[in-house]
Amino acid sequence: MFEKPRGTRDFTPPETAKHRFVERAFRRTAESYGFREILTPTFETVELFKARSGPGIIDEMFTFTDKGGRELALRPEFTASVIRFYLSDLRSAPKPLKVFTLGNCFRYEEPQKGRYREFFQWNCEIIGGPSLEADAEVIALADAGLKSVGVKKTEMRIGYIGMLRKYLDFPPEVQAKLLHLLDKKRMEELEKAMTDIGAVDKCEKVCSVALLKGDGEVLDQAERLLGDAAKESVDYLRRLGKQLALYGLEDFVYDLGVVRGLDYYTGMVFEIDSPNLGAEKQVGGGGAYSLADILGGEAAISTGFAVGVDRIVLAAEQEDVKMTPSPLDAYVIPIGLSMRAKAFEILKKLRVEGLAADIDLVGRGPSKNLDYANSIGALHCVLVGEKETAKGLVALRDMQTGKQAEVKVESLTDALRSAKRQSIK
Ligand code: HAM
C-alpha cells in the first residue's frame, strides 16, 4: 500500500463536486467583472519566486533540480507567474489587463485543517489600471466571489502597507525583516531588531499603528501617530472607501496592521477572514504590488488577490451552503438482455442531446438497478421493457417522488428537460 504525500489530499466524488461548485462560482464571477482566464505552468524557475516573494514563501517552496540541472519550484502562488507571463507575452495587450487563474499551489507548511501542502487558489490580477479604481475593483470582485458561493460570514480588513514602509524607511532587507515580525505579531523580537538598528524610538508608534482597526476614525488616529508619514496613505484609504461605496461595499474595516506574508506589496493591502474557521481563518488576501520592474521589465501598476478554494469550501460547509454536483438526469435500465441494444440507443440519444445519462453496465435486475440509481443520485430512471418499446414507449420513474409514467421515446428528452427545469425552480 502506498500513502499519499503528507499535506496532499484525494477528493471523493462529493468532495470534488463541492470544490468544482466553488470554482464554477469564482469563474463566473470573474468573467462577469470582465476578467479573462489564463493558465501558467505548475512549475517555474526557483529564481522567479526568489525575486520578491519574501522569506515566508521562499522557505516553504518545493524545489527540485531537473535532468538538465535547472533549479525549479512548484508554484507557491500565481502572482509571480502572471507577471512573468505579462512581461514575456502580454505587455502590449490593451490596459488594464484583467486576468485570473484557478489552480493548485504548493507550500511546504505544517499541515492541519485548512492548511495543506497542495492547495487551490482563485487568483485575480489587474495590471496597468489606475490604482485607486483597480484596487476597488479587485476588492469588490473578491467580495462578490465569496457571495456568489453563498459564504456570508466574513470579515474584510483593508490596510495600507505603504504607510508602514514609509515610516520604516530602512534598507529593503531590514524593512522586510521588520515587516515579517510585525506580520507574525512577534512584538518582542521586533523591539529587539529595532533596538539593534538604533530605531527603538519608532517601535512603540509602529506597534500602536499596527493595532489600529475600525472605521474611518482609525485613519485619523494613524495620522496623529505618524504625522506626514501617514498622510498620503490615509487620504488614499479615505478615497478608496468612497470608491467602494460605488459598488455598494461598505461592510469592511480599516486595519492598519495588515502586513501580508509576501514581500511585493507596496500600497493598499487587504485580507478576508471567515471567523468560523478557527486557526486558518484567512480565506483570501491581496493588494497593490510592484513586481514587473523587479522581474526585469518596465514598472506597471498592479493589484490583485487570491482566495483559497479549500478554505472557502470549509467556510461554505460551516454556513450550510448546498454545494450540490450536477446530478445525473437519467439512469437507463434495460429490462432483460434482449433490451440492451434498444437501451443503448436511447442512452446515446440522451447523451447527444446534452443530458447526463448512464446505463447499467453489469446486467443487474430492475430492483437492484433502482437501488444503484438511488445511491448515485440519479434524478430519473428510464426503464426499457419489451412491451412498452413495442409501442414506442418507455417507463420514466421520478426517483424523488417514486412516480412512474409512460412516455414516448421521442419525447423522452423533452420530458427530462422539463422535469429538470421544475426541480431547479
Ligand atoms: P496568500 O495570502 O499567500 O496570497 O494566499 C492567498 C490565500 O491562499 C490565503 O488567504 C489562503 O486562503 C490560501 N492559502 C495559502 N496557503 C495555503 C495553504 N497552505 N493551504 C490552504 N490554503 C492556503 C497570495 O498567494 C498572493 N499571490 C495573492 C495576490 C495576488 N496578491 C496580489 N495578487
Side-chain angles (χ1 to χ4, degrees):
M1 290 284 274
F2 292 100
E3 280 185 18
K4 56 186 178 299
R6 198 162 133 74
T8 65
R9 289 152 299 154
D10 296 313
F11 293 80
T12 60
E15 285 162 354
T16 308
K18 290 180 183 177
H19 206 92
R20 296 292 182 229
F21 173 91
V22 170
E23 286 185 343
R24 264 200 305 280
F26 285 162
R27 185 171 277 118
R28 264 202 308 267
T29 313
E31 286 169 354
S32 76
Y33 272 63
F35 283 68
R36 287 175 299 157
E37 188 166 8
I38 56 169
L39 294 168
T40 60
T42 314
F43 56 88
E44 299 266 7
T45 59
V46 167
E47 290 313 312
L48 175 72
F49 300 113
K50 278 197 175 159
R52 214 13 162 347
S53 297
I57 291 284
I58 289 169
D59 294 345
E60 290 172 355
M61 271 198 295
F62 277 89
T63 56
F64 60 101
T65 311
D66 77 1
K67 289 180 182 170
R70 298 170 197 91
E71 288 291 313
L72 302 171
L74 297 180
R75 62 183 175 212
E77 56 126 19
F78 282 103
T79 310
S81 301
V82 173
I83 296 299
R84 176 198 49 68
F85 186 23
Y86 162 74
L87 289 173
S88 64
D89 294 272
L90 304 173
R91 224 173 341 171
S92 52
K95 306 286 177 316
L97 180 67
K98 299 166 84 177
V99 289
F100 74 98
T101 52
L102 267 165
N104 50 353
C105 296
F106 306 84
R107 294 184 193 174
Y108 194 86
E109 297 198 74
E110 207 37 55
Q112 56 170 285
K113 190 164 185 183
R115 194 204 290 163
Y116 314 100
R117 290 187 177 171
E118 182 186 25
F119 60 99
F120 295 79
Q121 275 192 351
W122 172 45
N123 184 88
C124 303
E125 314 283 358
I126 300 184
I127 305 167
S131 82
L132 184 90
E133 289 76 5
D135 278 350
E137 175 90 349
V138 293
I139 294 173
L141 171 58
D143 183 64
L146 304 199
K147 292 203 172 110
S148 73
V149 172
V151 170
K152 298 193 184 92
K153 292 183 192 136
T154 53
E155 185 189 47
M156 164 93 72
R157 297 175 286 113
I158 303 177
Y160 198 95
I161 199 164
M163 180 186 323
L164 298 172
R165 288 202 191 282
K166 196 159 181 187
Y167 191 66
L168 298 173
D169 185 19
F170 303 110
E173 331 73 69
V174 178
Q175 192 186 69
K177 183 179 164 193
L178 300 181
L179 290 175
H180 183 64
L181 293 172
L182 201 57
D183 181 37
K184 298 285 169 210
K185 305 275 179 270
R186 283 154 46 184
M187 299 310 191
E188 275 175 29
E189 285 172 70
L190 178 71
E191 190 176 347
K192 183 172 177 320
M194 292 189 74
T195 308
D196 291 349
I197 56 168
V200 71
D201 54 315
K202 286 190 158 184
C203 190
E204 198 182 321
K205 277 192 183 169
V206 99
C207 291
S208 307
V209 167
L211 291 175
L212 291 176
K213 189 176 158 191
D215 59 16
E217 169 62 20
V218 301
L219 301 182
D220 303 336
Q221 289 175 24
E223 214 170 345
R224 281 199 291 276
L225 277 164
L226 301 189
D228 279 352
K231 179 140 189 33
E232 235 177 85
S233 321
V234 158
D235 282 350
Y236 188 90
L237 287 177
R238 285 198 188 102
R239 283 187 289 127
L240 183 66
K242 288 196 184 124
Q243 185 73 16
L244 287 171
L246 299 181
Y247 292 85
L249 208 165
E250 275 157 0
D251 190 15
F252 64 87
V253 292
Y254 293 111
D255 179 352
L256 302 180
V258 178
V259 178
R260 310 283 299 125
L262 292 139
D263 235 13
Y264 45 62
Y265 296 102
T266 49
M268 178 283 294
V269 277
F270 74 105
E271 286 176 348
I272 309 172
D273 296 335
S274 164
N276 283 333
L277 293 189
E280 299 305 320
K281 64 180 177 5
Q282 197 188 112
V283 291
Y289 60 92
S290 166
L291 205 51
D293 45 340
I294 286 149
L295 298 183
E298 234 173 71
I301 302 172
S302 326
T303 187
F305 67 88
V307 163
V309 173
D310 315 87
R311 291 186 190 171
I312 292 299
V313 170
L314 293 173
E317 280 173 347
Q318 289 286 322
E319 293 187 34
D320 281 333
V321 174
K322 294 264 168 301
M323 292 173 278
T324 41
S326 313
L328 192 72
D329 295 306
Y331 184 73
V332 182
I333 304 174
I335 314 287
L337 265 180
S338 61
M339 287 291 103
R340 285 189 79 70
K342 185 71 191 166
F344 266 92
E345 194 187 298
I346 291 170
L347 172 79
K348 222 164 63 189
K349 185 163 180 278
L350 295 179
R351 286 177 172 170
V352 167
E353 303 266 335
L355 289 164
D358 198 1
I359 194 165
D360 170 30
L361 294 175
V362 285
R364 277 188 277 247
S367 86
K368 288 238 167 80
N369 258 326
L370 288 172
D371 289 346
Y372 177 75
N374 221 356
S375 76
I376 58 170
L379 294 177
H380 290 90
C381 278
V382 177
L383 297 124
V384 185
E386 212 169 320
K387 262 198 261 155
E388 292 83 358
T389 39
K391 291 186 263 172
L393 299 169
V394 284
L396 182 62
R397 187 184 181 92
D398 182 323
M399 296 302 285
Q400 248 140 30
T401 61
K403 280 192 191 141
Q404 194 165 306
E406 289 188 340
V407 292
K408 284 193 181 145
V409 175
E410 66 259 30
S411 325
L412 182 59
T413 315
D414 287 344
L416 287 167
R417 284 234 170 84
S418 100
K420 192 173 186 163
R421 277 196 297 274
Q422 291 299 326
S423 78
I424 291 168
K425 274 184 202 159

